[in-house]
Amino acid sequence: MDRPICFIDLETTGVHIEQDRIVEISVLKLNKDWKGKVVKTMLINPGIPIPKAASDIHGITDEMVKDKPTFVQISKSLLSLIGNCDIAGYHSNRFDIPFLDTNFHRVGLIWDWKGVNL
């Protein structure tokens, strides 16, 4: 490996990248020497109601996220954590990565994920 790898998983309010929001993100970052790791799971206040259909899937409710930080509040530290990493995850190329990229753009941050190994 030439750089660290981050395994990413998102839970969201729905599947529409432009209108839905992130309610939880989990990241497992492995250093390129495989000796160090960072594990983070964060609930995120999406700023919109979580539909019952989404809560039924991931178990996260409006009550659980009402006092949690918003994506804009955690976005810079998250980008710092994953920005120089290759990315992996189940179904991440088709959902999690584009969804996360859209959320970074929404708050004015650029994540150059197209330059990393997926």
Side-chain angles (χ1 to χ4, degrees), residues 6-95:
C6 282
F7 296 86
I8 296 175
D9 184 51
L10 302 179
E11 300 300 339
T12 65
T13 61
V15 297
H16 302 286
I17 289 174
E18 292 298 325
Q19 72 186 36
D20 287 309
R21 301 292 186 266
I22 298 169
V23 297
E24 184 180 59
I25 183 164
S26 293
V27 178
L28 167 61
K29 180 178 181 177
L30 297 174
N31 291 330
K32 62 183 181 178
D33 63 7
W34 297 94
K35 293 182 181 174
K37 68 180 178 180
V38 175
V39 179
K40 288 195 179 250
T41 296
M42 301 174 258
L43 287 174
I44 299 169
N45 184 332
I48 62 172
I50 302 171
K52 183 180 179 325
S55 290
D56 287 347
I57 292 169
H58 51 56
I60 300 167
T61 64
D62 290 328
E63 182 67 23
M64 294 169 67
V65 298
K66 71 177 183 177
D67 296 324
K68 299 301 180 186
T70 63
F71 187 79
V72 73
Q73 292 171 310
I74 61 98
S75 59
K76 287 182 183 176
S77 64
L78 178 60
L79 187 56
S80 177
L81 177 66
I82 69 172
N84 67 334
C85 299
D86 289 334
I87 304 295
Y90 179 74
H91 204 271
S92 62
N93 293 12
R94 302 189 98 221
F95 183 76

